[in-house]
């Protein structure tokens, strides 16, 4: 009996490690898929979906050039960023719920991981002392300070309905409830999508493809990085985009995710997860193609609207769904 | 009352009620005239959907007439009148500067909380499946009032007024499944007359002040004119 429990625990941990590996291995693929779709959408010649892997491999092989006045902080930051993002990825159920890693972090800690990564990126950007680093750090913190309350409000709305802030349990609660039309989820979905767009540095808040000095936010901070460090930071950014996509899928469209370690349900989980993330990437591409980048000074309005949506989600969940 | 205990139609009523509330918030912060009119029309349409769903759930056929009235007046006629007026007055691309839009939206959220608080006793008394939406309907009224208070152009204020009327209609439907038909017809007629009167008022306002900013109305006309000098008055005396 005891050995059986031990073996099932081992299987669970192996599954958790496998899921995290799949997560970080698939993140560049998703980035490549988004890039390819976007090129097709804009009538440009598209790179292969494997291109992000080649880029990462090339950067890994390259030598690093460090600035003379770079401190240990600058050198440690890529590892901290990648580590925090990896831990966040481990906590998000991609294929199967109820893994032991789900206990690492609830949603609030997940937001905390992102904040930690962002904090160190901003510090490293200031560390070198170039003008672009400081500018990028200040802009990124401005956006983050506005996006985080909206994100937390979304989390609270979902937690009130699911009765927990644990992601895995919440996903199961949504699955168990079946088809329920919830206005709070509708508002929370749009708020979370807007926050995800802002946090991942996508159009309309930031343009990931540009290095134009007046418009860049995230790129301005990591301008001094090269080689292995840059590869880790870019990979972390791709994982972050994937985490947000999977978060949206887990909360609002969890159907198909595996609830046990049965081979059939795992296969269904993989297929459903891939299909849903691919669809979501298509929506992101359409969104990025029809919208133009907004001025930096209008980003607060964009995020203020996201906050309002999240707040409305919270209010409707209290007023309309719970009642008195 | 828990949402999961309700049927799918009742859940749909609640979703559309939330969307009506959302359009009120959009109107609160929409600085451009034309999208404001469109949003008002959308609110009317969503309200009509709520009324139709309530009619299906409660089996009250006279609510279909209310829904038809809403579609004809609030989605068709009044937005069309306002749209035509905005073109005739050459203000359809005008934008109004809203000072502190975030403050405005947050105070709107505060009004929702307030209306939840004041609706609680009514909700306890009511036995209808739609009773949770009473708070939202009161919030739509109060938000319409906030639009009238916070916005400066006459067009936005008129839309705020119409949105209060939307809220009243909404409250009547979700708390008692509609007013008597004769009252509804009377109110609808009143609103139609009001929209025509507002048109006349717009033209007067523009003729007098060359703009539709109602803050001009706060100023006394005498203070702008040059005061007659006291010496001039004395000279006239003999």
């Amino acid at each position: 009996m005891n050995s059986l429990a031990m073996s099932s625990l081992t299987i669970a941990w192996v599954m958790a490690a496998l899921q995290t590996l799949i997560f970080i291995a698939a993140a560049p693929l998703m980035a490549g898929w988004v890039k390819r779709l976007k090129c097709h959408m804009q009538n440009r010649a598209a790179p292969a979906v494997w291109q992000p892997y080649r880029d990462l491999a090339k950067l890994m092989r390259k030598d690093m050039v460090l600035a003379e006045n770079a401190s240990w902080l600058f050198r440690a930051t890529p590892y901290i960023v990648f580590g925090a993002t990896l831990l966040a990825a481990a906590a998000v159920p991609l294929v199967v719920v109820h893994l032991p890693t789900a206990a690492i972090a609830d949603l609030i800690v997940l937001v905390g991981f992102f904040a930690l990564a962002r904090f160190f990126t901003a510090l490293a950007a200031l560390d070198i002392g170039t003008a672009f680093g400081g500018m990028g750090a200040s802009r990124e913190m401005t956006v983050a300070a506005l996006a985080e309350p909206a994100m937390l409000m979304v989390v609270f709305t979902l937690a009130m309905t699911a009765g927990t802030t644990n992601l895995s349990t919440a996903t199961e609660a949504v699955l168990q409830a079946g088809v329920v039309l919830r206005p709070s989820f509708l508002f929370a979905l749009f708020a979370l999508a807007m926050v995800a767009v802002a946090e991942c540095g996508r159009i309309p808040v930031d343009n990931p493809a540009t290095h134009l000095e007046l418009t860049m936010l995230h790129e301005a901070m990591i301008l001094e990085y090269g080689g292995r460090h840059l590869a880790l930071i870019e990979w972390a950014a791709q994982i972050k985009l994937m985490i947000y996509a999977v978060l949206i899928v887990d909360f609002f469209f969890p159907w198909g995710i595996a609830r046990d370690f049965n081979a059939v349900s795992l296969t269904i989980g993989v297929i459903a997860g891939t299909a849903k993330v691919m669809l979501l990437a298509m929506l992101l591409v359409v969104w990025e193609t029809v919208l133009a980048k907004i001025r930096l000074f209008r980003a607060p309005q964009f995020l203020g609207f996201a906050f309002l949506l999240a707040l409305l989600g919270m209010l409707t969940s209290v007023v309309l769904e719970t009642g008195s | 009352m828990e949402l999961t205990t309700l049927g799918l139609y009742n859940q749909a009523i609640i979703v559309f009620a939330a969307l009506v509330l959302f359009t009120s918030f959009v109107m609160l912060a929409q600085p451009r005239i034309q999208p404001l009119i469109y949003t008002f029309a959308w609110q009317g349409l969503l309200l009509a959907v709520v009324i139709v769903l309530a009619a299906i759930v409660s089996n009250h056929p006279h609510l279909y007439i209310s829904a038809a009235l809403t579609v004809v007046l609030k989605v068709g006629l009044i937005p069309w009148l306002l749209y035509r007026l905005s073109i005739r007055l050459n203000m359809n691309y005008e934008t109004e500067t809203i000072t502190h839009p975030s403050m405005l939206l947050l105070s709107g959220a505060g009004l929702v909380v307030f209306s939840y608080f004041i609706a609680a006793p009514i909700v306890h008394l009511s036995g209808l499946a739609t009773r949770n939406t009473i708070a939202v309907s009161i919030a739509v009224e109060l938000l319409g009032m906030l639009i009238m208070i916070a916005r400066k152009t006459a067009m936005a204020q008129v839309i705020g007024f119409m949105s209060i009327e939307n809220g009243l209609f909404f409250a009547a439907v979700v708390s008692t499944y509609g007013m008597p038909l004769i009252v509804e017809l009377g109110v609808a007629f009143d609103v139609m007359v009001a929209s025509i009167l507002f048109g006349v008022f717009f033209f007067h306002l523009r003729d007098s002040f060359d703009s539709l900013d109602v803050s001009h109305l706060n100023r006394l006309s005498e203070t702008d004119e040059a005061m007659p000098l006291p010496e001039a008055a004395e000279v006239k005396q003999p």
Side-chain angles (χ1 to χ4, degrees):
Chain A
M1 190 62 201
N2 200 14
S3 70
L4 196 71
M6 274 296 280
S7 74
S8 75
L9 195 66
T10 322
I11 290 176
W13 275 103
V14 168
M15 293 300 291
L18 258 179
Q19 176 170 278
T20 313
L21 274 180
I22 292 176
F23 209 115
I24 58 171
L29 188 62
M30 187 195 168
W33 168 249
V34 167
K35 196 168 273 180
R36 195 177 166 79
L37 280 180
K38 203 169 169 182
C39 287
H40 280 311
M41 195 88 181
Q42 299 172 348
N43 281 332
R44 291 185 282 145
V49 275
W50 315 109
Q51 191 58 41
Y53 291 106
R54 292 183 200 138
D55 291 346
L56 287 179
K58 185 189 74 184
L59 285 172
M60 285 287 186
R61 281 196 305 272
K62 272 191 169 180
D63 280 341
M64 282 184 294
V65 182
L66 280 177
E68 273 172 21
N69 48 355
S71 71
W72 62 270
L73 194 70
F74 187 76
R75 271 169 281 137
T77 294
Y79 302 102
I80 295 172
V81 170
F82 191 77
T85 318
L86 186 67
L87 273 178
V92 179
L94 172 67
V95 176
V96 61
V97 290
H98 266 329
L99 287 176
T101 43
I104 293 177
D106 65 352
L107 275 160
I108 299 168
V109 181
L110 199 73
V111 178
F113 278 140
F114 291 140
L116 182 75
R118 192 182 305 111
F119 173 69
F120 273 97
T121 320
L123 277 189
L126 293 169
D127 184 45
I128 293 289
T130 58
F132 277 135
M135 187 193 73
S138 103
R139 287 181 176 179
E140 177 90 357
M141 288 327 250
T142 310
V143 170
L146 293 162
E148 239 162 57
M151 174 80 186
L152 280 176
M153 200 52 107
V154 171
V155 168
F156 293 148
T157 307
L158 301 174
M160 275 185 69
T161 308
T164 168
T165 53
N166 186 299
L167 193 49
S168 192
T169 325
T171 308
E172 267 217 304
V174 175
L175 263 180
Q176 242 153 22
V179 180
V180 184
L181 301 174
R182 287 186 188 279
S184 65
F185 272 38
L186 192 68
F187 291 132
L189 169 62
F190 282 102
L192 185 58
M194 286 171 82
V195 169
V197 160
E199 289 256 304
C200 297
R202 314 294 302 193
I203 289 175
V205 176
D206 188 8
N207 190 348
T210 181
H211 280 84
L212 193 69
E213 55 269 18
L214 289 176
T215 59
M216 55 186 175
L217 267 75
H218 184 71
E219 297 297 320
M221 289 198 298
I222 58 171
L223 213 52
E224 297 289 327
Y225 276 112
R228 200 168 62 238
H229 287 163
L230 184 61
L232 282 180
I233 287 181
E234 298 226 312
W235 199 356
Q238 288 160 357
I239 295 173
K240 192 175 172 186
L241 179 65
M242 178 116 165
I243 287 177
Y244 271 105
V246 174
L247 266 185
I248 290 175
V249 163
D250 273 350
F251 266 131
F252 304 105
F253 320 99
W255 300 285
I257 200 164
R259 293 158 89 174
D260 47 34
F261 301 145
N262 186 348
V264 178
S265 53
L266 281 181
T267 321
I268 293 174
V270 170
I271 294 172
T274 318
K276 283 183 289 190
V277 171
M278 276 169 82
L279 270 176
L280 209 58
M282 277 186 198
L283 287 180
L284 174 70
V285 167
V286 173
W287 161 277
E288 288 203 320
T289 309
V290 293
L291 288 180
K293 188 185 171 304
I294 54 177
R295 283 187 302 141
L296 184 69
F297 299 112
R298 287 192 54 200
Q301 273 177 32
F302 179 82
L303 288 164
F305 187 63
F307 182 75
L308 174 78
L309 277 175
L311 194 62
L312 270 181
M314 175 70 111
L315 287 175
T316 48
S317 121
V318 174
V319 174
L320 287 175
E321 288 167 23
T322 327
S324 48
Chain B
M1 177 176 37
E2 257 304 310
L3 188 68
T4 41
T5 57
L6 294 175
L8 211 57
Y9 277 121
N10 278 317
Q11 288 177 12
I13 289 181
I14 283 176
V15 169
F16 280 102
L19 289 177
V20 170
L21 181 68
F22 176 62
T23 51
S24 266
F25 273 97
V26 172
M27 281 196 273
L28 197 57
Q30 177 58 264
R32 282 155 64 198
I33 295 294
Q34 230 169 38
L36 191 62
I37 297 170
Y38 292 148
T39 317
F40 173 69
W42 273 107
Q43 186 175 50
L45 191 64
L46 290 167
L47 186 59
V49 172
V50 170
I51 297 172
V52 167
L53 286 171
I56 294 171
V57 170
S58 67
N59 226 345
H60 278 71
H62 84 270
L63 281 180
Y64 289 114
I65 303 172
S66 310
L69 214 60
T70 310
V71 170
V72 170
L73 276 179
K74 310 252 181 64
V75 187
L77 189 65
I78 292 173
W80 179 71
L81 275 176
L82 291 176
Y83 180 77
R84 243 192 32 172
L85 270 175
S86 78
I87 287 181
R88 291 249 324 259
L89 293 168
N90 227 345
M91 52 180 287
N92 49 337
Y93 293 115
E94 255 174 41
T95 57
E96 172 191 347
T97 43
I98 299 174
T99 44
H100 310 302
S102 338
M103 281 295 290
L104 198 57
L105 289 174
L106 282 183
S107 50
L111 280 182
V112 178
V113 176
F114 176 67
S115 57
Y116 174 59
F117 177 68
I118 56 171
I122 313 171
V123 173
H124 279 305
L125 285 177
S126 170
L128 302 186
T130 51
R131 63 176 181 266
N132 278 356
T133 42
I134 294 173
V136 168
S137 62
I138 295 174
V140 171
E141 282 167 41
L142 292 178
L143 283 171
M145 220 173 276
L146 187 61
I147 295 174
M148 290 190 74
I149 293 168
R151 304 291 295 264
K152 282 196 213 68
T153 56
M155 186 65 92
Q157 294 201 345
V158 167
I159 284 179
F161 176 79
M162 300 286 177
S163 149
I164 293 178
E165 211 278 327
N166 269 353
L168 279 172
F169 219 63
F170 190 11
V173 169
V174 295
S175 55
T176 61
Y177 288 140
M179 295 178 268
L181 197 58
I182 190 77
V183 180
E184 273 177 26
L185 278 173
V187 172
F189 186 69
D190 275 355
V191 169
M192 206 177 70
V193 170
S195 67
I196 293 166
L197 284 180
F198 282 134
V200 177
F201 168 67
F202 282 170
F203 278 104
H204 272 294
L205 202 58
R206 198 191 49 164
D207 284 346
S208 322
F209 300 113
D210 219 14
S211 96
L212 284 188
D213 192 334
V214 289
S215 60
H216 289 296
L217 290 177
N218 291 340
R219 214 166 10 181
L220 291 173
S221 56
E222 282 87 0
T223 54
D224 283 348
E225 290 165 12
M227 287 289 276
L229 293 172
E231 300 94 61
E234 275 169 26
V235 171
K236 262 187 197 166
Q237 202 82 51

